[in-house]
Amino acid sequence: MTLHMLVQMPLLVIVGITACRLLPDCWRQRLLDGLGGAIPCVVVAMFVSSYWMLPRALDAALTEPLAEISKFITLPLLVGFLLALSWRRLTLIGRGFVWTNFFSMLAVLGWLYIVAPVRICNSYLVNDQQHAGWYMVILATLLFLWWLGTLLVGDGGGPRKPSIDTDRTPE
């Protein structure tokens, strides 16, 4: 369960982020404009990532081939790709919302796995569930502390200053 939730699924998101970064800037800009901007992309990414945190979705991914295929399609495209596509357009508050939502969802789900007296995921044992829960809570705490440190020290993902257009000649 730990490998599934904390290794495989994040790696699928990273594949989507990498794919987006490989696109030329002009294509990313056109694609983002065609999708309606940064906010709709972030909303879709949040809903899809929330779905894949549900215990029922994890069970389905292990027992149903169609769910497994959809996991391998939706996590890279609808989470990683869309977040990377919209990240530059988000303000400091928007990025903070995404980060804090991720940390809180990870911590709450981890806590749920720790304190649940019965198996939540039918495909995993209670011990696997509790171990994954502890790792999720620890990871959420460490990521939050890292993010908070970058905000306090600098380069915390604040809004980027617009670049000076060097192609324009002064009039």
Side-chain angles (χ1 to χ4, degrees), residues 53 100-115 120 133 136-137 140:
M53 286 188 175
T100 53
N101 188 38
F102 172 69
F103 301 146
S104 63
M105 285 186 350
L106 190 62
V108 167
L109 190 61
W111 171 78
L112 176 68
Y113 284 143
I114 292 168
V115 300
I120 297 175
M136 291 166 76
V137 169

Side-chain angles (χ1 to χ4, degrees), residues 14-64:
I14 290 170
V15 165
I17 291 170
T18 305
C20 182
R21 289 186 177 175
L22 292 175
L23 288 177
D25 284 337
C26 62
W27 288 16
R28 283 189 274 178
Q29 189 62 40
R30 279 192 223 137
L31 191 56
L32 187 61
D33 291 339
L35 292 173
I39 301 299
C41 291
V42 169
V43 169
V44 168
M46 298 293 259
F47 275 110
V48 172
S49 64
S50 296
Y51 171 77
W52 285 111
M53 286 188 175
L54 294 174
R56 173 65 181 110
L58 291 177
D59 280 339
L62 292 174
T63 59
E64 300 171 19

Side-chain angles (χ1 to χ4, degrees), residues 1 3 34 37-38 79 92 98 106 109 114-115 123 144 159 161:
M1 184 171 190
L3 289 175
V79 179
L92 181 62
V98 171
L106 190 62
L109 190 61
I114 292 168
V115 300
S123 301
F144 175 74
K161 295 179 181 167

